[in-house]
Each structure stands twice: as structure tokens, then as C-alpha cells.
Amino acid sequence: MLPSTLSRWASSSACNNGLKTKTFFRQLGRSRSISSTPPTSATFDKLGVIGLGLMGHGIAQTAAMAAAKDNIHSYIIAYETESTFLDRGRSRIQGSVDKLVSKEKLTPSQAETLLSKITFTTDRDALSDTDLIVEAIIENMDLKKQLYAELGEQCKPSTVFASNTSSLSITQMALASGRPENFVGVHFFNPVQLMKLVEVIQTDHTDEAVFQKCLAWVKDIGKVGVSCRDTPGFIVNRLLVPYLVQAI
């Protein structure tokens, strides 16, 4: 469990001398007992990813990898507002996949299957029938709230929304969407393709079944989910920032 993990670290020399903080968070991400409730298989067939920047392209690629390997998604809609941003995100994914092929971690055939799972588009209507949408746009609350208000009107009632924000209020976005029971946070870490830990954030409004389903999805795409409440900084940043301030 997380408390015991923290307790062991707090009593270690790493805590006493302020060293090896990064090692602690790597170990936290590797722990398979972080979530108190073991998730079961997720059933989000159609995935949408909004924003293909530093985080969004990694989320889309990671989900596509799992879809190609285990067929957990029939397709992934990768959406950007402008073709310039869309092409940049597509190039990031292509470059990352090409690197995996060059390192013989993927065969050319596997890479082709992975990329075939992703549909790139600037047409937001393509998201209307998705089962889960992960948002990874810039950290601006007004923009996020406007986006979710529009998605709430546009998407089918059962679509679940998940924000990748690292610090903004999940509750505020959930209420703006008009479907707070179908809203969670899923905070990935950079680089998404390599970092295992994902904070899965629950608000007072989140339906428990939806939350467990999102935890299961995180596991299905090969990550380790840690469940937490909607508090400033969630878990990792809430722990890390005081140490950074002390170091300064």
C-alpha cells in the first residue's frame, strides 16, 4: 500500500539527506499494490485523445501499442484543432515508433499495426461516439472548461472524460462537462511511453464503477495506476514540490 511505501522511504537515509528522490518515485511507479482495489479488464472500446503535444502523442501511442498487442481498442481518434498541430503530433508518434523499430523492439509489421490503430483528425465530430476521451491540452482552466462543456453536449451520454492535468481542479472541469459522474483525472508522466506511474483522480461526483473502469484501463495499457482524490498536486507533485523548494 502507498502509506507503507512512504513510511519505508521516510525512515531511509534517502529521506534524511534529501537524495534519491527520483528513485523513490520510480519505485512508487513499480509497486503493483498501489491501488487498494485490483482493477478488472476495461471495456473502453473506442478511445479519443485530444491534444497531441508532449503528453498527448505519448498517450495515443501507448494506447495504440496496447491495442495492437491485446486488441483493447478497436481504434483511437487522435484529435487536434489545426492541421499543423496534427501533423506535428503524427510526426512525433512516427518518429518514436521508428526508433523502436531501429532498436528491434518492434518489427516493421508490428509498427504498421500500431499506427493503423490511430486515426488522425481535426474533425471533432469524430469523437462523438468514443467511449473514453483523454484530454491533454494546455494547462488553462478556462479553455479546458469550455472544451468539456462543448464535449458534454457533443458526445454520447456514456462517454467518460479524463483530464491529464497535473495540477488543475478535476472537480471544476467535471462540473463544466455536465456529466461529473463520468469524469476522472488521469495524470501521466513524461515521457509517457516509458513512465509507468499514472495518477487516477476521483472527485466527490465520480461514479465508483466509472473510476474502477478507468483504473482498469490504465492497467490494460501497461501502466500502474495509483488512486487519489482531487487535491492540489494530487500525490507526486504534492510530495515532490516541498523537496524542490527545500533544495532551492
Side-chain angles (χ1 to χ4, degrees), residues 63-64 67-68 71 73-77 112-119:
N71 201 33
H73 298 301
S74 58
Y75 61 79
I76 295 149
I77 301 295
E112 183 179 354
T113 301
L114 185 159
L115 293 170
S116 72
K117 291 289 184 178
I118 308 175
T119 299

Side-chain angles (χ1 to χ4, degrees), residues 177-194:
S177 74
R179 55 178 77 180
E181 70 283 356
N182 278 8
F183 204 110
V184 301
V186 284
H187 180 214
F188 290 79
F189 292 85
N190 181 48
V192 175
Q193 295 92 327
L194 299 178

Side-chain angles (χ1 to χ4, degrees), residues 56-117:
H57 91 276
I59 295 169
Q61 180 186 330
T62 299
M65 177 82 79
K69 180 181 178 182
D70 299 319
N71 201 33
I72 68 168
H73 298 301
S74 58
Y75 61 79
I76 295 149
I77 301 295
Y79 168 81
E80 267 289 4
T81 55
E82 299 179 16
S83 58
T84 301
F85 300 145
L86 187 73
D87 292 341
R88 190 178 303 163
R90 192 201 318 261
S91 295
R92 279 173 159 164
I93 294 173
Q94 182 70 63
S96 180
V97 171
D98 288 346
K99 187 177 295 185
L100 291 173
V101 172
S102 69
K103 292 181 177 181
E104 299 184 346
K105 294 185 177 181
L106 282 181
T107 66
S109 176
Q110 289 171 328
E112 183 179 354
T113 301
L114 185 159
L115 293 170
S116 72
K117 291 289 184 178

